[in-house]
Amino acid sequence: MEIKVLGPGCKRCEQTEKIVREVVAESGKDAQIEKITDVMKIAGYGVLGTPAVVIDGEVKCVGKIPSAEEVKAWLEA
Amino acid sequence: MKERNKLLLIVGVFLAAYFIPWGHPLIRQSGLEAFMMLQEYARQHVLTCLIPAFFIAGAISVFVSQASVLKYFGAQARKVLSYSVASVSGSVLAVCSCTVLPLFAGIYTRGAGIGPATAFLYSGPAINVLAITLTAKVLGWQMGLARAVGAILFAIITGLLMALIFRKDDAARTAGQIYVPDATSDQRTLVQDSLYLLTMVLILVFAAFARPAAGSTGLWPTIFALKWYITAVLLSILAWMIKSWFRKDERVAWVDSTWGFMKQIFPLLIGGVLVAGFLLGRPGHPALIPEEWVQSLLGGNSLWANLFASVAGALMYFATLTEIPILQGLIGAGMGKGPALALLLAGPALSLPNMVVIGSVMGVKKTATFCGIIVIMSTIAGLLYGSFAG
């Protein structure tokens, strides 16, 4: 599983990355988490608004900090 | 922060403490001015202007749906709408650079194209609620109004010019799926949301109502005499709205986001006020930089003074809102009103660091054109405003 957290490095994006890392560690799933800060790469995913989370190429959320429950649900799916 | 940078910082502070002649009368005077200016802000601007403005900014960021605005930036959106929404959307979307730059890159590469993208890039930092209200409060409502109107017009003109100059490139953009922030579900109507924001804006207007000139008659002195009663009534209406229209989690989100803005902006503003006070002093009180320098470079309303102000503004980095105390100091030291507006229009939208990021998105040539357009227009706007306002 490949998880990408998109955000140029603001508070909200850091918080999102932290939540994602915590949930993944808790679930024990084998997932690679990458933080993407380059604005051109972020735009390449077509997201308008950060933080955003992309799992296996699929955009999961845009422009808000996801809750731990939401992240858990994405991992299970 | 890297360890090496921390060391450099400590060495820098040490050298400053060691070598600056703190006992010199000029340095003492400047240090005193820094704190006198801080006190002026604390006494006159924080409670009646900044705090309400922070709550408004917090409410906008939580309750105004970003999705409803962003749909006007898609590749299929009508151009007229794209430009008009881009020019005012800064007031809704952007207070933080973490929204502006990715959004700009997204609109440019996938969405409505270079015109709306650059219009948004300019308007984003220039017309947020906090910047306009504090400008009006500290520098006078004429300057606040000129800044707001100028910023909206500039955004549209810049966007159109960029689209015209680079119209060939726009055809080569890749079309693709775009994702906008998820719409939030709420049970309030648009009317309720508008009334709620309007009430807060009115509180801001009345709480910050300026004392009319002595001897003036009519409506203004009456309003001024009643302003605290009006504010109290509005506050109780607001309290009722908050209690009956909003869920608990919405209230928490609102306060959280307001607190987020305060944490982010207050330290920067305090720093900005201290630096402005130290270098330039309050109006009528000289500090470190001699007033003759300011007057000779930025005084009056010459083409040179306006051009110098807009180029300096374009290169300098102003943290959110710090342009205001710096301008207050400059005007007090003899800067003309025209050059002041030129700096306000060119300043917050452009800086060397953000030129680098913009350059990485749309290339050196387009970035240079974008900056050139803004500098030239700011100079012209400064000349016009200076000749009217004297």
Side-chain angles (χ1 to χ4, degrees):
Chain A
M1 192 178 259
E2 237 181 27
I3 304 178
K4 297 202 164 75
V5 179
L6 318 182
C10 56
K11 271 263 155 56
R12 280 151 54 83
C13 316
E14 280 163 23
Q15 209 176 330
T16 305
E17 191 190 3
K18 195 169 143 246
I19 290 172
V20 170
R21 285 194 186 281
E22 275 168 12
V23 173
V24 168
E26 221 174 88
S27 72
K29 285 214 190 275
D30 180 30
Q32 278 151 343
I33 303 167
E34 196 187 343
K35 174 87 186 289
I36 294 182
T37 52
D38 184 296
V39 284
M40 274 316 268
K41 281 195 191 139
I42 295 175
Y45 285 93
V47 299
L48 297 183
T50 53
V53 179
V54 178
I55 298 181
D56 288 335
E58 195 183 329
V59 178
K60 290 293 186 184
C61 88
V62 179
K64 65 164 190 178
I65 305 171
S67 68
E69 285 74 41
E70 282 175 281
V71 179
K72 220 173 272 174
W74 300 332
L75 291 180
E76 299 304 325
Chain B
M1 209 192 288
K2 284 199 190 110
E3 294 303 314
R4 197 182 49 158
N5 293 355
K6 282 183 197 163
L7 178 66
L8 284 178
L9 184 72
I10 291 173
V11 171
V13 170
F14 168 75
L15 288 177
Y18 196 102
F19 284 110
I20 290 177
W22 298 104
H24 191 282
L26 185 64
I27 302 284
R28 289 183 176 216
Q29 166 74 11
S30 305
L32 185 67
E33 274 308 306
F35 285 96
M36 292 303 284
M37 190 146 163
L38 189 64
Q39 182 162 60
E40 185 187 307
Y41 272 73
R43 287 194 176 166
Q44 293 183 11
H45 305 310
V46 170
L47 288 178
T48 52
C49 177
L50 277 170
I51 302 274
F54 275 123
F55 276 99
I56 295 175
I60 288 176
S61 79
V62 177
F63 300 128
V64 177
S65 153
Q66 299 199 345
S68 65
V69 174
L70 290 175
K71 65 172 184 254
Y72 296 109
F73 293 136
Q76 284 81 30
R78 282 180 51 205
K79 291 293 169 222
V80 183
L81 279 177
S82 292
Y83 282 102
S84 5
V85 173
S87 66
V88 293
S89 61
S91 57
V92 179
L93 294 171
V95 180
C96 151
S97 63
C98 61
T99 3
V100 178
L101 287 171
L103 202 52
F104 159 67
I107 301 170
Y108 173 61
T109 53
R110 292 283 188 95
I114 190 169
T118 45
F120 171 74
L121 182 65
Y122 177 78
S123 88
I127 29 181
N128 67 67
V129 191
L130 287 164
I132 299 290
T133 47
L134 195 66
T135 306
K137 181 80 174 33
V138 176
L139 304 176
W141 65 267
Q142 297 92 335
M143 188 67 88
L145 184 70
R147 182 179 188 184
V149 172
I152 293 173
L153 285 179
F154 273 36
I156 295 178
I157 299 174
T158 310
L160 287 174
L161 282 176
M162 290 296 286
L164 191 72
I165 297 172
F166 297 107
R167 59 187 174 280
K168 283 199 190 112
D169 301 21
D170 244 15
R173 277 179 305 116
T174 48
Q177 177 73 35
I178 60 170
Y179 302 88
V180 297
D182 317 324
T184 44
S185 63
D186 55 40
Q187 73 285 45
R188 284 180 311 283
T189 61
L190 192 62
V191 177
Q192 282 177 321
D193 273 340
S194 321
L195 280 175
Y196 160 71
L197 281 172
L198 180 71
T199 311
M200 283 198 290
V201 171
L202 287 176
I203 289 175
L204 177 69
V205 168
F206 284 109
F209 206 83
R211 181 183 289 278
S216 58
T217 51
L219 191 57
W220 303 127
T222 320
I223 294 182
F224 184 74
L226 292 174
K227 72 174 198 171
W228 293 120
Y229 299 102
I230 301 177
T231 309
V233 170
L234 287 167
L235 272 174
S236 30
I237 296 176
L238 182 68
W240 174 81
M241 283 176 176
I242 293 170
K243 199 167 176 309
S244 45
W245 290 354
F246 293 89
R247 292 192 309 265
K248 179 150 184 290
D249 59 315
E250 291 175 320
R251 291 194 286 261
V252 171
W254 176 41
V255 174
D256 267 357
S257 133
T258 305
W259 172 233
F261 284 136
M262 288 186 186
K263 268 194 304 196
Q264 192 189 346
I265 292 172
F266 261 126
L268 297 172
L269 188 61
I270 291 173
V273 170
L274 285 174
V275 170
F278 189 79
L279 294 179
L280 298 155
R282 289 168 300 158
H285 300 260
L288 194 62
I289 296 180
E291 300 197 339
E292 303 81 63
W293 292 13
V294 178
Q295 273 155 17
S296 66
L297 278 175
L298 297 163
N301 193 38
S302 64
L303 175 65
W304 164 247
N306 279 296
L307 184 65
F308 183 76
S310 43
V311 171
L315 294 177
M316 255 193 293
Y317 172 73
F318 295 105
T320 320
L321 300 185
T322 51
E323 72 273 12
I324 294 165
I326 291 174
L327 262 184
Q328 188 191 9
L330 283 169
I331 293 173
M335 184 189 208
K337 289 208 169 130
L341 183 71
L343 198 149
L344 265 186
L345 288 172
L350 290 178
S351 67
L352 269 182
N354 94 343
M355 283 177 198
V356 174
V357 182
I358 302 170
S360 78
V361 174
M362 59 179 188
V364 177
K365 206 168 122 198
K366 289 178 184 135
T367 310
T369 314
F370 177 67
C371 299
I373 292 174
I374 288 175
V375 166
I376 293 169
M377 286 205 303
S378 303
T379 310
I380 297 172
L383 280 170
L384 286 177
Y385 184 73
S387 63
F388 282 119

